[in-house]
Amino acid sequence: MLRRWRTPTSWTVFRMDDRLLLMFIGVIVGICSGLAALALNRSLEFMFETLHHYRGYPFAFLMPGIGAALSALFLDKVVKEGAGHGVPEVIYSVSKYGGLLRLRSSFSRLISSCLTIGSGGSAGPEAPVVMSGASIGSNIAKFFGLNDRQRVTVVGCGAAGAIASIFNAPIAGLVFTVEVILGEWTALNVVPIAIAAVAGTEVSRILQGNQIAFSHPGFRIDFADTLASIGLAVVTAAASILLTRTMRSMHHLSSKVPVPKWVRAFMGGCAVGIIGIFLPVVMGEGYHSIREMIHNSFTPGLAIVLIATLVKILATSLTLGWGGSGGIFAPSLVVGSLAGLTYHRIISGLWPSVDWVNEGCFALLGMAGLVSGMLQAPLTAIFLIVEITGGYNLILPLIIVSSLSATLCHYLEPASFYLKDLVDQGQLMRPGTDARVLSDLSVAELIETDCITVTGNMRLRDFIGIVKRSHRNYFPVEEEKTGRYLGMIHLDDIRPYLFDPLMYDVVILEQLMNPRAELIRPHDDLGEVLERMDRLHLFSMPVVSDGERFLGMISKATLLDQYRKELRVQTEQSA
């Protein structure tokens, strides 16, 4: 005799309280994403140590090209995923599909980015671990049978746990996820995501110690330094725009080269390898160079630092724009620190009598300015720099640089680097926006089917009898034999004929209908439908299948009524 499986009491308690359930799952996801981040870190360290012995050989410039080519082949041929930064894909999944991500994304970007970065490509490991953590969260949410809203929160838990683990910075993981990935601050999101960030951080601390990523000796900030941070914000904003536009230009340029993806990646990687012969600082993630700059041990002169800033931008664009795998987080930190160093040396030369804080402080501020400008997420930049450096005494200039840099970049590039392509393609649907609310509705659930159809060869006299028993002003016209949709009749268009009895038996409806009336297809986007209704001053539109069959009508009143109901549901879920 089969015994019925019974739900454990503890699981029943979780099911009774969604918040408790999400907190419980957040711990699991945070631990898993933290382990994924550590796996990538250890793999990169292994590759750096293994390949370091070959850097002095004449063929060393080929290594970044080979790594990028293998990365592109792995993504394109093995796991069947396109190259990319990872974060835009997560944001798109959250905004369009309720956080659904494939299981293979939990490891695919880890492997591909390890090949690219470990071989010397100029990219960062942060975006790949965000993609991995988000995919882990999505599939765990699927395992627990969570709804879309809950799954989005768990995806955020995965992203937060990954960022928190890789930087040993739980607050930065929380703020990055809410500010960049989800785009909304709600009680339902914040608590489980914070718990996941803490879990990911604890995994990092247990397995590799409670280490500050970029420790520094401490800085004494004076008024002159705070005032100078305004100018630094302008410099970092300019560097952010230059990095953004150079990467897009490289991507467009590479897409026009008629060779396979892996060959393009190889070409870009080899170019980085050649640059690295003369400026090794541009290769890899660059964290070692950041540490040197913060500790005032970066010895190259002003001209070399300025050139290195521009060449790091070029190397990152060649790596990612030509098909390599990785993120922009680490390159932004390197470019920012180089820009801050350059700015400090310039103002020190112009005003030598001022007792400036040492250049390591401006390197940190430059990092915040670049991250803030690229992501247009000032809170993420502020908390990230504070946590990874322990530099709470920098908070005032950090706020100035981050907020001004993000604001200036927003004026020049209204969408951040991660969101630009999604905005251009109309795929960004943040919570509470029209696009997001309407995306949860479909044409099928709005169709009104109480319309009376008429045939094209019907006489006007017969039609008048139909008008008397109908409460609508629109009448779809179909072909009698095939049922094919022909057009629409509106009462206002035929009103003159209704008062002329001599026309009743002379005119047929095909002569009176509008064959070019605006119509809706079942797969049309409701946001575009509503925009067309507003632009053309329409209150109803027919829905016609691809097989030219009339399905019903959609009215603006019904659409807006369903919009209001869906907005109320989403608002209640967010509370």
Side-chain angles (χ1 to χ4, degrees), residues 192-204:
I193 291 173
I195 290 174
V198 170
T201 305
E202 286 303 314
V203 167
S204 173

Side-chain angles (χ1 to χ4, degrees), residues 76-412:
D76 190 42
K77 304 298 183 182
V78 179
V79 294
K80 309 294 184 182
E81 288 187 355
H85 313 293
V87 175
E89 289 88 338
V90 175
I91 296 173
Y92 177 65
S93 168
V94 165
S95 64
K96 183 70 174 177
Y97 298 111
L100 282 174
L101 289 165
R102 291 171 293 193
L103 180 60
R104 62 175 176 265
S105 297
S106 62
F107 62 86
S108 61
R109 299 306 170 95
L110 298 182
I111 296 174
S112 62
S113 62
C114 184
L115 292 169
T116 298
I117 303 168
S119 61
S122 178
E126 298 81 13
V129 299
V130 167
M131 181 75 166
S132 175
S135 175
I136 290 170
S138 177
N139 285 277
I140 289 179
K142 190 187 302 182
F143 173 79
F144 281 97
L146 303 185
N147 59 36
D148 285 3
R149 190 71 184 177
Q150 294 168 326
R151 184 169 56 246
V152 165
T153 300
V154 177
V155 166
C157 291
I163 287 292
S165 176
I166 205 167
F167 284 121
N168 189 20
I171 299 177
L174 164 65
V175 175
F176 169 80
T177 299
V178 176
E179 191 176 27
V180 177
I181 302 293
L182 303 185
E184 62 172 345
W185 296 80
T186 67
L188 181 67
N189 288 340
V190 170
V191 175
I193 291 173
I195 290 174
V198 170
T201 305
E202 286 303 314
V203 167
S204 173
R205 291 177 179 177
I206 291 171
L207 296 181
Q208 61 183 18
N210 186 10
Q211 303 173 359
I212 295 177
F214 304 112
S215 60
H216 61 84
F219 305 114
R220 182 175 176 271
I221 307 295
D222 293 328
F223 176 74
D225 304 311
T226 303
L227 192 63
S229 64
I230 298 175
L232 179 58
V234 177
V235 172
T236 55
S240 299
I241 296 298
L242 181 60
L243 177 56
T244 298
R245 294 184 178 177
T246 305
M247 288 191 63
R248 292 203 187 107
S249 298
M250 282 294 179
H251 178 74
H252 293 315
L253 177 63
S254 67
S255 64
K256 296 177 182 178
V257 179
V259 295
K261 294 179 181 178
W262 68 271
V263 176
R264 291 203 296 264
F266 177 77
M267 294 166 62
C270 288
V272 173
I274 294 172
I275 294 172
I277 295 174
F278 305 97
L279 282 172
V281 67
V282 306
M283 300 186 69
E285 59 186 10
Y287 286 163
H288 61 286
S289 300
I290 294 176
R291 294 186 182 96
E292 290 179 0
M293 285 181 267
I294 293 174
H295 287 91
N296 303 312
S297 57
F298 196 75
T299 55
L302 173 61
I304 298 298
V305 174
L306 177 58
I307 292 171
T309 305
L310 300 176
V311 172
K312 180 64 177 179
I313 291 174
L314 176 62
T316 303
S317 302
L318 287 168
T319 299
L320 300 179
W322 283 72
S325 183
I328 61 164
F329 225 107
S332 296
L333 295 177
V334 177
V335 172
S337 57
L338 288 168
L341 209 63
T342 303
Y343 179 75
H344 181 274
R345 293 184 180 182
I346 289 174
I347 62 174
S348 296
L350 293 175
W351 294 282
S353 60
V354 178
D355 185 21
W356 300 107
V357 68
N358 65 52
E359 60 186 22
C361 175
F362 276 76
L364 290 177
L365 295 176
M367 291 161 61
L370 253 292
V371 171
S372 179
M374 290 294 292
L375 307 186
Q376 295 185 19
L379 290 178
T380 296
I382 292 169
F383 286 109
L384 176 67
I385 300 305
V386 165
E387 284 196 287
I388 65 177
T389 64
Y392 286 92
N393 56 329
L394 298 178
I395 194 68
L396 181 56
L398 270 177
I399 292 173
I400 293 173
V401 172
S402 298
S403 57
L404 283 180
S405 182
T407 302
L408 291 172
C409 288
H410 179 71
Y411 281 118
L412 297 173

Side-chain angles (χ1 to χ4, degrees), residues 29 106 110 122-123 168 189 206 237 288 296 368 375 390 394 446 448 457 470 511 529 533 541 556 567-568:
V29 173
S106 62
L110 298 182
S122 178
N168 189 20
N189 288 340
I206 291 171
H288 61 286
N296 303 312
L375 307 186
L394 298 178
L446 299 178
E448 302 166 1
N457 59 1
S470 174
Q511 297 172 300
V529 170
M533 285 184 169
M541 292 174 66
K556 182 185 286 188
L567 180 61
R568 185 170 64 245

Side-chain angles (χ1 to χ4, degrees), residues 39 79 217 274 284 288 295 333 456 468 490 498 503 519 549:
V79 294
I274 294 172
H288 61 286
H295 287 91
L333 295 177
K468 290 179 181 179
H490 191 279
L498 297 178
M503 306 296 291
L519 54 85
R549 298 282 180 171

